[in-house]
mmCIF file of all heavy atoms in Angstrom:
data_model
loop_
_atom_site.group_PDB
_atom_site.id
_atom_site.type_symbol
_atom_site.label_atom_id
_atom_site.label_comp_id
_atom_site.label_asym_id
_atom_site.label_seq_id
_atom_site.Cartn_x
_atom_site.Cartn_y
_atom_site.Cartn_z
ATOM 1 N N VAL A 287 -116.490 -66.876 82.769
ATOM 2 C CA VAL A 287 -116.012 -66.292 81.501
ATOM 3 C C VAL A 287 -115.846 -67.338 80.407
ATOM 4 O O VAL A 287 -115.988 -67.038 79.223
ATOM 5 C CB VAL A 287 -114.661 -65.546 81.662
ATOM 6 C CG1 VAL A 287 -114.854 -64.169 82.250
ATOM 7 C CG2 VAL A 287 -113.656 -66.348 82.437
ATOM 8 N N TRP A 288 -115.527 -68.564 80.791
ATOM 9 C CA TRP A 288 -115.267 -69.603 79.788
ATOM 10 C C TRP A 288 -116.552 -70.221 79.246
ATOM 11 O O TRP A 288 -116.515 -70.985 78.275
ATOM 12 C CB TRP A 288 -114.365 -70.703 80.366
ATOM 13 C CG TRP A 288 -114.768 -71.159 81.733
ATOM 14 C CD1 TRP A 288 -114.255 -70.737 82.922
ATOM 15 C CD2 TRP A 288 -115.803 -72.111 82.072
ATOM 16 N NE1 TRP A 288 -114.887 -71.363 83.969
ATOM 17 C CE2 TRP A 288 -115.835 -72.214 83.485
ATOM 18 C CE3 TRP A 288 -116.693 -72.886 81.319
ATOM 19 C CZ2 TRP A 288 -116.724 -73.053 84.158
ATOM 20 C CZ3 TRP A 288 -117.577 -73.720 81.981
ATOM 21 C CH2 TRP A 288 -117.581 -73.793 83.388
ATOM 22 N N ALA A 289 -117.687 -69.917 79.865
ATOM 23 C CA ALA A 289 -118.941 -70.554 79.423
ATOM 24 C C ALA A 289 -119.449 -69.888 78.147
ATOM 25 O O ALA A 289 -119.266 -68.687 77.950
ATOM 26 C CB ALA A 289 -119.987 -70.443 80.522
ATOM 27 N N ASP A 290 -120.066 -70.684 77.281
ATOM 28 C CA ASP A 290 -120.734 -70.130 76.104
ATOM 29 C C ASP A 290 -122.053 -69.526 76.610
ATOM 30 O O ASP A 290 -122.855 -70.241 77.222
ATOM 31 C CB ASP A 290 -120.979 -71.283 75.109
ATOM 32 C CG ASP A 290 -121.781 -70.838 73.888
ATOM 33 O OD1 ASP A 290 -122.435 -69.785 73.940
ATOM 34 O OD2 ASP A 290 -121.752 -71.582 72.890
ATOM 35 N N PRO A 291 -122.294 -68.218 76.381
ATOM 36 C CA PRO A 291 -123.509 -67.593 76.923
ATOM 37 C C PRO A 291 -124.785 -68.347 76.553
ATOM 38 O O PRO A 291 -125.728 -68.400 77.350
ATOM 39 C CB PRO A 291 -123.509 -66.194 76.316
ATOM 40 C CG PRO A 291 -122.092 -65.947 75.896
ATOM 41 C CD PRO A 291 -121.460 -67.290 75.622
ATOM 42 N N ALA A 292 -124.807 -68.964 75.362
ATOM 43 C CA ALA A 292 -126.024 -69.683 74.958
ATOM 44 C C ALA A 292 -126.271 -70.917 75.820
ATOM 45 O O ALA A 292 -127.388 -71.425 75.885
ATOM 46 C CB ALA A 292 -125.930 -70.092 73.495
ATOM 47 N N TYR A 293 -125.226 -71.417 76.485
ATOM 48 C CA TYR A 293 -125.346 -72.643 77.294
ATOM 49 C C TYR A 293 -125.027 -72.364 78.772
ATOM 50 O O TYR A 293 -124.787 -73.289 79.528
ATOM 51 C CB TYR A 293 -124.341 -73.698 76.836
ATOM 52 C CG TYR A 293 -124.550 -74.323 75.476
ATOM 53 C CD1 TYR A 293 -124.284 -73.626 74.315
ATOM 54 C CD2 TYR A 293 -124.986 -75.641 75.361
ATOM 55 C CE1 TYR A 293 -124.439 -74.206 73.069
ATOM 56 C CE2 TYR A 293 -125.139 -76.230 74.118
ATOM 57 C CZ TYR A 293 -124.871 -75.514 72.977
ATOM 58 O OH TYR A 293 -125.025 -76.104 71.753
ATOM 59 N N ALA A 294 -124.991 -71.067 79.154
ATOM 60 C CA ALA A 294 -124.450 -70.707 80.484
ATOM 61 C C ALA A 294 -125.050 -71.537 81.620
ATOM 62 O O ALA A 294 -124.329 -71.965 82.539
ATOM 63 C CB ALA A 294 -124.663 -69.233 80.739
ATOM 64 N N LEU A 295 -126.347 -71.762 81.557
ATOM 65 C CA LEU A 295 -127.015 -72.506 82.630
ATOM 66 C C LEU A 295 -126.437 -73.914 82.763
ATOM 67 O O LEU A 295 -126.190 -74.406 83.863
ATOM 68 C CB LEU A 295 -128.513 -72.579 82.305
ATOM 69 C CG LEU A 295 -129.395 -73.369 83.245
ATOM 70 C CD1 LEU A 295 -129.456 -72.723 84.614
ATOM 71 C CD2 LEU A 295 -130.814 -73.488 82.661
ATOM 72 N N VAL A 296 -126.203 -74.554 81.617
ATOM 73 C CA VAL A 296 -125.658 -75.915 81.626
ATOM 74 C C VAL A 296 -124.177 -75.878 82.006
ATOM 75 O O VAL A 296 -123.721 -76.637 82.866
ATOM 76 C CB VAL A 296 -125.806 -76.582 80.240
ATOM 77 C CG1 VAL A 296 -125.166 -77.955 80.235
ATOM 78 C CG2 VAL A 296 -127.261 -76.681 79.843
ATOM 79 N N HIS A 297 -123.436 -74.976 81.378
ATOM 80 C CA HIS A 297 -121.988 -74.970 81.609
ATOM 81 C C HIS A 297 -121.656 -74.671 83.065
ATOM 82 O O HIS A 297 -120.740 -75.265 83.637
ATOM 83 C CB HIS A 297 -121.307 -73.967 80.664
ATOM 84 C CG HIS A 297 -121.327 -74.440 79.244
ATOM 85 N ND1 HIS A 297 -121.045 -73.634 78.175
ATOM 86 C CD2 HIS A 297 -121.598 -75.662 78.723
ATOM 87 C CE1 HIS A 297 -121.143 -74.319 77.047
ATOM 88 N NE2 HIS A 297 -121.481 -75.556 77.366
ATOM 89 N N SER A 298 -122.412 -73.783 83.697
ATOM 90 C CA SER A 298 -122.106 -73.473 85.098
ATOM 91 C C SER A 298 -122.380 -74.696 85.990
ATOM 92 O O SER A 298 -121.695 -74.896 86.995
ATOM 93 C CB SER A 298 -122.907 -72.268 85.568
ATOM 94 O OG SER A 298 -124.278 -72.541 85.452
ATOM 95 N N SER A 299 -123.341 -75.509 85.604
ATOM 96 C CA SER A 299 -123.666 -76.675 86.442
ATOM 97 C C SER A 299 -122.566 -77.736 86.390
ATOM 98 O O SER A 299 -122.494 -78.612 87.254
ATOM 99 C CB SER A 299 -125.003 -77.285 86.023
ATOM 100 O OG SER A 299 -124.883 -77.920 84.772
#
Side-chain angles (χ1 to χ4, degrees):
V287 280
W288 46 263
D290 175 342
Y293 292 74
L295 177 66
V296 177
H297 290 166
S298 60
S299 71

